[in-house]
């Protein structure tokens, strides 16, 4: 921890609940959600692995993975310079510069030059259109303004090693599309986890784990975030670091 952090207008420091880690958030820009937390906790890594996060936003996923997983190094590529500025200051504040690198770029422009990775992750835009009344910074994060699903998977194909793992969260309404696009790129879905806000509700999002060049064969799982009384399930508490270094 590098001590006091000077925050800019509309910024706040949010505790992550592990090792006193904190992340900068700005109320006027896109703030991370539980989907990113669940996705980051789903990643399996080893100390020799190089990971890539496409569309890193506030860099919540690289920070969680660096803190909780035994990963070697993580490169985050984010197109919005303001998000990268916040991320660099968060990473410096938490002394994670030896684990996380920030790149302010369009993944479509750098996918063929940034190298090959053991793991690629992404919490991409969910919506193909709309959001015209949203602030541009938020619209870019939520809607396919600068990165479509096909462009994302093309970038994964360019950066993921043969046999490497790809992790993504997306809306259940796009499940069939995701399976088709990934399979076309020879990134074969191997595991899908449906995420339920409560057991009594329909699944809203899902996490897919794919492997480049793998044989077909799919495992389905489920994950429930909240109990019916509104409290977090034990599984969700672990992902939110309530029990320390779980995951």
């Amino acid at each position: 921890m590098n001590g006091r952090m000077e925050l800019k207008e509309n910024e706040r420091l949010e505790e992550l609940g592990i090792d006193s880690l904190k992340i900068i958030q700005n109320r006027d820009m896109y703030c991370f959600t539980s989907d990113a937390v669940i996705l980051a906790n789903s990643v399996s890594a080893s100390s020799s692995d190089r990971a890539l996060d496409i569309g890193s936003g506030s860099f919540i996923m690289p920070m969680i993975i660096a803190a909780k997983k035994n990963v070697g190094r993580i490169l985050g590529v984010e197109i919005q310079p303001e998000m990268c500025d916040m991320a660099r200051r968060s990473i410096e504040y938490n002394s994670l510069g030896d684990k996380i690198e920030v790149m302010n770029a369009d993944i479509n422009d750098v996918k063929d030059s940034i190298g090959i990775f053991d793991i690629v992750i992404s919490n991409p835009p969910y919506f193909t259109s709309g959001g015209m009344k949203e602030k541009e910074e938020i619209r870019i994060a939520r809607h396919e303004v600068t990165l479509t699903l096909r462009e994302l998977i093309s970038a994964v194909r360019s950066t993921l090693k043969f046999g490497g793992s790809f992790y993504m969260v997306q809306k259940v309404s796009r499940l069939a599309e995701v399976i088709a696009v990934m399979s076309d790129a020879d990134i074969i879905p191997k595991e899908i986890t449906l995420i339920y806000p409560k057991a009594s509700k329909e699944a809203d999002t899902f996490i897919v784990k794919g492997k480049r060049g793998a044989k077909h064969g799919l495992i389905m799982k489920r994950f429930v975030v909240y109990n019916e009384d509104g409290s977090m399930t034990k599984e969700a508490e672990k992902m939110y670091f309530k029990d320390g270094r779980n995951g």
Side-chain angles (χ1 to χ4, degrees), residues 128-169:
T128 57
S129 61
M132 299 305 296
K133 294 183 179 180
E134 294 178 333
K135 294 189 67 172
E136 187 66 10
E137 295 87 351
I138 295 176
R139 183 168 175 259
I140 288 172
R142 289 170 46 83
H143 302 266
E144 293 185 347
V145 178
T146 63
L147 184 69
T148 66
L149 177 62
R150 285 195 176 276
E151 288 171 338
L152 168 63
I153 300 305
S154 174
V156 176
R157 167 82 183 189
S158 296
T159 55
L160 184 64
K161 76 174 187 181
F162 189 86
S165 296
F166 170 56
Y167 299 82
M168 177 177 65
V169 62

Side-chain angles (χ1 to χ4, degrees), residues 224-235:
V224 180
V225 182
Y226 292 103
N227 296 308
E228 294 302 318
D229 63 3
S231 62
M232 276 190 176
T233 62
K234 290 183 179 179
E235 292 78 9

Side-chain angles (χ1 to χ4, degrees), residues 54-239:
I54 298 176
S56 295
S58 63
F59 278 64
I60 178 66
M61 292 199 298
M63 288 181 63
I64 291 174
I65 293 169
K68 295 187 72 176
K69 307 289 180 174
N70 189 29
V71 70
R73 191 161 176 81
I74 311 168
L75 170 64
V77 178
E78 168 57 42
I79 196 170
Q80 298 197 61
E82 297 86 357
M83 299 298 286
C84 289
D85 172 65
M86 287 195 299
R88 289 189 180 99
R89 288 183 285 127
S90 291
I91 291 164
E92 180 181 4
Y93 178 81
N94 292 289
S95 301
L96 291 173
D98 61 328
K99 286 277 190 179
I100 305 171
E101 179 182 354
V102 177
M103 177 181 287
N104 178 204
D106 184 337
I107 189 63
N108 292 308
D109 296 334
V110 300
K111 65 182 182 181
D112 296 320
S113 60
I114 55 176
I116 301 298
F117 295 82
D118 304 284
I119 299 166
V120 179
I121 61 175
S122 186
N123 180 183
Y126 288 162
F127 307 106
T128 57
S129 61
M132 299 305 296
K133 294 183 179 180
E134 294 178 333
K135 294 189 67 172
E136 187 66 10
E137 295 87 351
I138 295 176
R139 183 168 175 259
I140 288 172
R142 289 170 46 83
H143 302 266
E144 293 185 347
V145 178
T146 63
L147 184 69
T148 66
L149 177 62
R150 285 195 176 276
E151 288 171 338
L152 168 63
I153 300 305
S154 174
V156 176
R157 167 82 183 189
S158 296
T159 55
L160 184 64
K161 76 174 187 181
F162 189 86
S165 296
F166 170 56
Y167 299 82
M168 177 177 65
V169 62
Q170 194 40 278
K171 286 288 187 182
V172 166
S173 59
R174 302 188 71 180
L175 177 56
E177 178 188 7
V178 166
I179 292 174
V181 175
M182 287 179 60
S183 298
D184 285 347
D186 198 30
I187 302 164
I188 307 302
K190 298 296 294 179
E191 185 176 296
I192 289 176
T193 302
L194 297 175
I195 302 174
Y196 296 80
K198 292 182 179 180
S200 61
K201 304 288 186 181
E202 294 292 329
D204 181 49
T205 56
F206 69 94
I207 289 172
V208 58
K209 176 184 179 181
K211 281 190 171 289
R212 184 174 176 189
K215 295 181 179 179
H216 288 277
L218 182 63
I219 297 172
M220 297 294 297
K221 297 183 177 181
R222 72 196 305 265
F223 180 87
V224 180
V225 182
Y226 292 103
N227 296 308
E228 294 302 318
D229 63 3
S231 62
M232 276 190 176
T233 62
K234 290 183 179 179
E235 292 78 9
E237 283 188 346
K238 291 179 181 179
M239 293 205 172

